[in-house]
Amino acid sequence: DYQHAEQCFIKGSKPEMAIAAYKEAGMMQDAQRIAQKYRPDMLAGLVGGASSYGNQGQSGDEIVQQAKYAEISGNYVNAIELYLSVTVDHFSDPQQLEDIWEKAVDLAMKYQKDRFEEVVRIVAERLKDIGRGDVAASNYMGIGMYEEATDCYIELHDWAQAEDVIRQVERTPDLHSRLRRKVDQAKKTGAGATDLDPIDACERYFKDGEHERMFDVASKHSAELLNKYLLKYSKLLLKNGQFATAVTAFVQRGTPIIPNFYPIYNHLALEILAGP
């Protein structure tokens, strides 16, 4: 009974005996637990890298716990490897995976600077694979990989962020021109817009000022979606004083008999009647 033996060793002020027993039995988590509490000087020798323990059928929680022990003992090389050894096979929650992998990035930045760029690359690729393209882009930006960051934003149809990357590289003419062409081409071709949910596509097109594409997607989806974005668009035009453009939009897209539109119709009528 290992638990009973542990209690006896602890009471007898012999925690190293408990550690040795657990180690011999291959119960490394228990050995590390005892070492952390009673013999921290022995902890470093109990924390193996991912190659030692992380690939022996351990659960994600067990690997993360080992990584934490490695951190406590100052064994940052192994801690990084252990955090990186966690995969989608261990956890299905993207946020949990992101948090674990970002720990590897943080440790590399603080204690293994020569590996920082390598770790960031590894984590960024994994983040893209689990649908965290925005976080991957931020990581790429952190190590000056602007083109890779732009690719992430293009895949997300996040044109505002893509444009922000382009602005940040204005002093590097070749890169600036290359990214400018890439983003413009992506906008022109739609860059996989068919993969987007229609509602998400309409919202992105609205934010990016690509209103014709917005209406094209909305009209193909449903009258309800078309009316929703016709209302948003007309409100935007009124706010900017573009009354003639608003009238044209209604001529082209129809004038829904819906109460939400009535104040807009009244506003336009007053502006037109008051005009020269």
Side-chain angles (χ1 to χ4, degrees):
D1 186 333
Y2 285 99
Q3 188 173 8
H4 178 68
E6 174 188 326
Q7 293 174 353
C8 291
F9 286 135
I10 298 301
K11 288 181 180 179
S13 300
K14 295 290 184 180
E16 63 276 5
M17 299 296 291
I19 293 170
Y22 280 131
K23 185 176 180 181
E24 185 176 349
M27 302 168 68
M28 298 306 298
Q29 273 199 304
D30 289 299
Q32 292 161 354
R33 173 177 55 81
I34 299 298
Q36 182 186 11
K37 188 171 183 179
Y38 299 101
R39 288 294 303 271
D41 57 305
M42 296 180 66
L43 187 57
L46 297 171
V47 180
S51 60
S52 298
Y53 303 116
N55 294 325
Q56 295 183 3
Q58 289 183 304
S59 69
D61 288 330
E62 289 172 334
I63 296 173
V64 170
Q65 189 61 54
Q66 280 194 332
K68 290 178 179 178
Y69 285 139
E71 280 191 71
I72 293 170
S73 67
N75 195 342
Y76 301 117
V77 173
N78 279 341
I80 291 170
E81 291 302 326
L82 284 161
Y83 283 130
L84 291 179
S85 74
V86 174
T87 70
V88 293
D89 293 330
H90 297 108
F91 297 107
S92 59
D93 180 11
Q95 185 61 58
Q96 191 171 13
L97 287 167
E98 178 187 329
D99 292 342
I100 291 169
W101 294 335
E102 289 293 348
K103 286 182 179 292
V105 172
D106 185 57
L107 288 176
M109 179 177 64
K110 292 178 179 177
Y111 306 108
Q112 293 287 311
K113 297 185 186 302
D114 58 324
R115 291 198 61 202
F116 178 59
E117 184 171 328
E118 173 201 350
V119 173
V120 169
R121 285 173 180 266
I122 292 171
V123 170
E125 285 299 318
R126 292 186 183 183
L127 289 170
K128 286 170 58 180
D129 291 341
I130 63 170
R132 287 290 198 268
D134 54 337
V135 184
S138 296
N139 281 359
Y140 281 134
M141 290 290 288
I143 58 173
M145 296 181 67
Y146 299 105
E147 189 156 4
E148 287 77 3
T150 303
D151 288 339
C152 289
Y153 289 130
I154 287 175
E155 288 180 17
L156 293 168
H157 281 66
D158 193 337
W159 306 119
Q161 290 290 350
E163 293 290 347
D164 185 58
V165 177
I166 292 174
R167 283 192 293 272
Q168 292 190 46
V169 298
E170 285 181 347
R171 295 184 179 181
T172 310
D174 290 344
L175 179 59
H176 182 271
S177 298
R178 186 164 66 252
L179 297 188
R180 176 79 277 164
R181 288 194 301 271
K182 178 176 286 193
V183 171
D184 288 346
Q185 182 63 27
K187 286 184 177 181
K188 182 178 179 180
T189 61
T194 54
D195 296 330
L196 285 176
D197 176 88
I199 297 174
D200 291 337
C202 285
E203 188 62 24
R204 289 195 180 280
Y205 285 143
F206 178 77
K207 290 179 179 179
D208 297 335
E210 299 185 65
H211 300 120
E212 287 304 312
R213 286 184 177 175
M214 174 189 75
F215 283 127
D216 182 56
V217 172
S219 62
K220 291 177 180 177
H221 183 267
S222 66
E224 182 181 1
L225 190 61
L226 175 61
N227 290 338
K228 173 182 177 180
Y229 281 93
L230 181 58
L231 181 64
K232 292 185 69 169
Y233 181 53
S234 59
K235 286 182 177 180
L236 176 65
L237 293 175
L238 262 63
K239 180 180 178 181
N240 294 335
Q242 297 173 276
F243 307 117
T245 304
V247 171
T248 300
F250 284 119
V251 170
Q252 294 176 339
R253 307 294 174 183
T255 51
I257 310 303
I258 299 174
N260 287 345
F261 284 89
Y262 295 166
I264 295 173
Y265 297 154
N266 289 335
H267 192 156
L268 286 174
L270 291 172
E271 291 293 340
I272 292 171
L273 290 174

